[in-house]
Amino acid sequence: MSDAPAENKGAEDSLQSLQSLNINDVGETSTDPENHKNDKQKIDILLKPTGNAPIMKKKKWTVDGDKPISWIAEFMKRYMKLEPQEKLFLYVNQTFAPSPDQVMKNLYDCYSTEGKLVLHYCKTPAWG
Amino acid sequence: MANDREILREVWEGKLPISFQLDPDEVVELQQPDQFYLMVPRLSYFPLVTDKVRKHFLRYVANDKQDREMWLEYDGQPIKWHYPIGVLFDLLITSDDQLPWNITVHFDKFPENQIYRFNNKETVESYFMACLKEADVLKHRGQIASNMQKKDHNQLWLGLQNDKFEQFWAVNRKLMEVSSEQEHFKYIPFRCYIDDGYRQKLIKPVAEDGRRKTLQDLINEMFPGRNVNIKTHGMIPPLETPLQWMSEHLSYPDNFLHLCVQM
C-alpha cells in the first residue's frame, strides 16, 4: 500500500493508490464451471507511456483475463523498478482510469481494438 | 433525457435500515456499546454515510486502534466499500425478513488482501468520477463528461454526497441525453454481478433491425441459454423492460446499471 503524503491528498492521487493496490487472489475467482474456460482466456495488452513515464522495453504482454487492473499496475511498477512511493496512473481509451478491481477480460471485451487492449500509463494524472 | 421523473425520484429515495454493531472482541470498556441504527441511501457508498458510526464506537476501542481505518463486515465477509450500498444489499441479503441489515464494525485487523483502503472521501470521489467517465465513454464516446466543467463534476459529487436529488440531476440529465439523430446511447453501461465479481460487455440498446432491445436481450447476450433473474434496487425488473429506458432511469449515480445476477 503506497500511502500518499498527508499534504497531497488530491482525488487523482487517491485513485492511483487504489489502482496500485494488489488484492491477492484468494482461491479461484470463478466457481462457475460453464464460464470457467473464459476466465482463463489470455488477453493481449499494449502498454503505452505518456508524459514523463519511463518506456518499458517490452510493450506487448499477454495476461490472464481474470487479472484485475490493480495487479497489472503493481506488476508494471515492479518491472520499471519504481520507488514504492512513486505513482502510476493507468488509462483506457485515453479517457478514464478503470476501477482497480476491473478484470482484463471485461476491459478487453469493451475497449479492445484490433485484438488488443491498449493501456496508457503515466506518473502524473493525464486524463481526468 | 429521462421522462419518468417520478421514477428517478423513487430510485433516489430508496433507503435501507442498518444496525451497526462493534465487534465485541474490540471493545475495551466494561460496558458494551449500544447498536447504532441508520437509514442509508441505497445509491450512496458506505464511506459517505458512516462518519457517525465511527464517532459512536470510537471511544469503546483501544486508544492505539482509534486512528485506524474503520471497516465493515457482514456474515464473515468484509464489505466492499466501492460498491454502492444498494448493490451490496441486493448481493448479500436474500430476504427482506433480514432487516435491519446487521453489520459488524471493526477498527482492527484491516483485511488488506480482500478490500481496498479508502483513506478519505477524495478516494471515493475519484473512484466515482472514473466510473462516471467510463459510463460516458460507453454512451457518448466520452464526449459529454469530458466537455463538462470542473464545477459540473463537483455538483454531481456534492449532490450524491449530500443526498440532493435536484442538485445531482441538474447536471446528470446532460449525461443522460441522447443525440437528436440517434435517440439512444451507443452502448448501455452496465455491470452484471456474479461469482464475487462482475462482467461487462458491449451491448447496444437497439438491434440491427432497429428493434429496441430489452433486459431479456441483455441476458441472452451475457448468459446464452441460461435462465437467470436480474435484481436491481431491490426489485426484479420485467424482462421486457427496454434497455435504453433502464439505463436512463435505473442507473446508479455512477451512470452504470448494476445488475445482480440470480441463477
Side-chain angles (χ1 to χ4, degrees), chain B residues 100-119:
Chain B
W101 185 8
N102 287 303
I103 287 179
T104 306
V105 173
H106 297 271
F107 288 81
D108 201 8
K109 301 189 180 105
F110 192 94
E112 307 276 356
N113 291 335
Q114 289 168 279
I115 53 173
Y116 299 106
R117 285 188 178 275
F118 55 88
N119 297 316

Side-chain angles (χ1 to χ4, degrees), chain A residues 35-55:
Chain A
N35 289 297
H36 196 78
K37 67 176 180 333
N38 287 348
D39 288 339
K40 289 294 155 206
Q41 184 188 333
K42 298 282 185 182
I43 305 290
D44 290 327
I45 61 173
L46 179 62
L47 303 171
K48 288 189 172 178
T50 52
N52 60 350
I55 292 167

Side-chain angles (χ1 to χ4, degrees), chain B residues 54-114:
Chain B
R54 182 184 174 84
K55 223 176 193 173
H56 175 76
F57 290 123
L58 206 54
R59 64 187 183 86
Y60 294 93
V61 301
N63 279 336
D64 61 327
K65 307 272 167 34
Q66 292 183 358
D67 292 337
R68 305 256 179 108
E69 188 171 317
M70 186 176 85
W71 59 280
L72 308 173
E73 175 220 311
Y74 173 72
D75 201 19
Q77 292 295 321
I79 289 178
K80 295 176 180 173
W81 64 262
H82 64 294
Y83 287 7
I85 295 169
V87 174
L88 290 163
F89 184 84
D90 290 344
L91 286 173
L92 298 170
I93 309 284
T94 46
S95 156
D96 281 352
D97 298 344
Q98 292 166 264
L99 293 176
W101 185 8
N102 287 303
I103 287 179
T104 306
V105 173
H106 297 271
F107 288 81
D108 201 8
K109 301 189 180 105
F110 192 94
E112 307 276 356
N113 291 335
Q114 289 168 279

Side-chain angles (χ1 to χ4, degrees), chain A residues 1 3 9 11 14-15 17-18 21 23-24 29-32 34-35 39 70 93 95-97 99-102 106 109-111 128, chain B residues 81-83 112-117 119-120 122-123 126-127 130-131 133-134 137-138 153 191 194-195 198-202 226 263:
Chain A
M1 170 67 209
D3 274 335
K9 287 278 187 197
S14 311
L15 181 68
S17 61
L18 263 184
L21 260 184
I23 299 282
N24 296 325
T29 317
S30 170
T31 51
D32 182 2
E34 279 198 51
N35 289 297
D39 288 339
S70 54
N93 271 19
T95 316
F96 68 91
S99 313
D101 62 346
Q102 181 64 284
N106 285 341
D109 284 349
C110 292
Y111 309 109
Chain B
W81 64 262
H82 64 294
Y83 287 7
E112 307 276 356
N113 291 335
Q114 289 168 279
I115 53 173
Y116 299 106
R117 285 188 178 275
N119 297 316
N120 51 40
E122 281 77 37
T123 313
S126 69
Y127 173 76
C131 290
K133 276 175 205 159
E134 178 177 356
V137 166
L138 294 166
H153 289 183
R191 288 179 177 173
I194 186 166
D195 294 338
Y198 52 87
R199 303 260 176 83
Q200 238 177 281
K201 266 188 190 173
L202 291 182
R226 305 185 73 172
M263 290 288 181

